[in-house]
């Protein structure tokens, strides 16, 4: 059974850092581009970042560029999102997604940025 | 960035009736190379992650009931639910994957009248 399980979400102070992880199983992880999409409480979906299958290409939304870094470890079937200089507006559920290509979403992990 | 504007923001439809959601893009999402439109539709039920319904913009994802259909090209697209069922109550989003950053519409909430 295919699974994407996010972890690492928690309460963090403004200006702080956090690393989210997404563990994949049940499919050949190294074949797929992976994405992070976030959703603030009660709000819509926002695409955050993507990484190609071997990790050599990454792209970001302008709102996180220079603060967030996506990476992956294909040996561990895991994709990461390193988030630095966090702001209140980064508060959201963060979804790990195998987007469009046999589309599959994790259940999400909640990041709360607050003092 | 490509801006997607959905209309209406919400709609209430009787069971068995037709529901239609529009999505207008600020620029064309039609690829010249393969003549395909890079537009998808997602459904999100409360407390759940989104689910891909349609892409391309008229190809149903595996397992999606055929009462869901997508149409349109260029900048104007429509998601149609031909006969609304109780389980279709959800928020629906259009999304473009034509250019980075990928963007979503603001969402349309569908309820039962």
């Amino acid at each position: 059974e295919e699974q994407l399980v996010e972890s690492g979400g928690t309460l963090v102070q403004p200006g702080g850092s956090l690393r989210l992880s997404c563990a994949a199983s049940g499919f050949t992880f190294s074949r797929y581009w992976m994405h992070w999409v976030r959703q603030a409480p009660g709000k819509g979906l926002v695409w955050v970042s993507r990484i190609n299958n071997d990790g050599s290409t990454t792209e970001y939304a302008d709102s996180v560029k220079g603060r967030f870094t996506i990476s992956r470890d294909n040996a561990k079937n895991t994709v990461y999102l390193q988030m630095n200089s966090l702001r209140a507006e980064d508060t959201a559920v963060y979804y790990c997604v195998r987007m469009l290509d046999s589309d599959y979403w994790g259940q999400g992990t909640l990041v709360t940025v607050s003092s | 960035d490509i801006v997607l504007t959905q209309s209406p923001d919400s709609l209430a439809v009787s069971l068995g009736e037709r529901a239609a959601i529009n999505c207008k893009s600020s620029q064309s999402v039609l690829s010249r190379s393969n003549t395909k439109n890079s537009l998808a539709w997602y459904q999100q039920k409360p407390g759940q992650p989104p689910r891909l319904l349609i892409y391309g913009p008229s190809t149903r994802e595996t397992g999606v009931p055929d009462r869901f259909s997508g149409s349109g090209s260029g900048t104007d697209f429509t998601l149609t639910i031909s006969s609304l069922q109780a389980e279709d109550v959800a928020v629906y989003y259009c999304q473009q994957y034509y250019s980075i950053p990928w963007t979503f519409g603001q969402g349309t909430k569908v309820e039962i009248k």
Side-chain angles (χ1 to χ4, degrees), chain A residues 27-41:
Chain A
F27 64 97
T28 306
F29 178 71
S30 60
R31 290 185 181 174
Y32 294 91
W33 291 61
M34 296 298 297
H35 301 248
W36 288 96
V37 174
R38 70 184 182 184
Q39 186 170 36

Side-chain angles (χ1 to χ4, degrees), chain B residues 28-40:
Chain B
S28 176
V29 297
L30 175 62
S31 169
R32 292 175 190 163
S33 60
N34 61 11
T35 68
K36 290 189 176 180
N37 287 275
S38 301
L39 194 288

Side-chain angles (χ1 to χ4, degrees), chain A:
Chain A
E1 181 191 358
E2 295 177 331
Q3 274 198 317
L4 291 171
V5 180
E6 301 95 336
S7 60
T10 189
L11 172 65
V12 61
Q13 292 191 337
S17 297
L18 204 58
R19 188 176 84 156
L20 305 183
S21 300
C22 170
S25 59
F27 64 97
T28 306
F29 178 71
S30 60
R31 290 185 181 174
Y32 294 91
W33 291 61
M34 296 298 297
H35 301 248
W36 288 96
V37 174
R38 70 184 182 184
Q39 186 170 36
K43 302 297 185 182
L45 301 167
V46 177
W47 177 85
V48 173
S49 181
R50 73 173 181 178
I51 186 167
N52 72 336
N53 60 322
D54 67 6
S56 60
T57 300
T58 59
E59 286 159 316
Y60 300 91
D62 286 347
S63 58
V64 306
K65 201 174 293 183
R67 299 189 300 123
F68 290 13
T69 302
I70 190 171
S71 62
R72 67 191 294 161
D73 185 337
N74 284 345
K76 295 182 177 180
N77 289 343
T78 301
V79 60
Y80 305 97
L81 187 67
Q82 177 66 43
M83 304 187 295
N84 299 329
S85 303
L86 282 161
R87 306 166 181 167
E89 54 265 35
D90 296 318
T91 294
V93 172
Y94 284 74
Y95 293 103
C96 170
V97 191
R98 189 183 70 197
M99 218 160 172
L100 292 171
D101 188 359
S102 299
D103 200 84
Y104 192 83
W105 294 59
Q107 290 299 310
T109 187
L110 176 62
V111 173
T112 303
V113 184
S114 175
S115 53

